[in-house]
Amino acid sequence: MKMKDIKTLITSGTILLAGALYMIFAEPAKENTNVTSPPSQTQTQSTTKQSTNVADYIITPQYATNATGNELIDVEFLSANDGLSL
């Protein structure tokens, strides 16, 4: 065998070994089951009634500011620029 062939085999073997070790020892992705949605008006008014309405999951600006700690800034949209100039 030529020296180039030996280097290729060693490099390929190392990459395959690293991939195999990663597949064996990598932790599986954890599912986040503790995701909370913002409280809706129906949930705050009546906790005994279960509602699966789409409107129950709308994130309001007040909820977003409370959850992230960031504050809202009033802005005015001027134009869109996609980076192409004609």
Side-chain angles (χ1 to χ4, degrees):
M1 278 189 155
K2 294 182 181 178
M3 187 61 119
K4 187 176 181 181
D5 293 337
I6 294 172
K7 287 180 182 179
T8 303
L9 284 174
I10 291 172
T11 304
S12 300
T14 304
I15 292 171
L16 288 174
L17 180 64
L21 290 174
Y22 176 77
M23 297 291 281
I24 293 170
F25 294 110
E27 292 184 25
K30 296 179 183 177
E31 292 184 21
N32 191 357
T33 58
N34 295 331
V35 176
T36 59
S37 63
S40 66
Q41 291 177 349
T42 45
Q43 289 174 340
T44 55
Q45 291 173 357
S46 172
T47 56
T48 58
K49 182 180 178 182
Q50 292 287 336
S51 175
T52 58
N53 198 356
V54 175
D56 291 342
Y57 300 102
I58 295 175
I59 298 175
T60 62
Q62 182 182 16
Y63 176 79
T65 55
N66 290 341
T68 62
N70 297 333
E71 56 185 62
L72 294 176
I73 300 173
D74 290 330
V75 296
E76 182 181 337
F77 177 77
L78 299 176
S79 66
N81 183 359
D82 63 357
L84 299 176
S85 60
L86 300 174

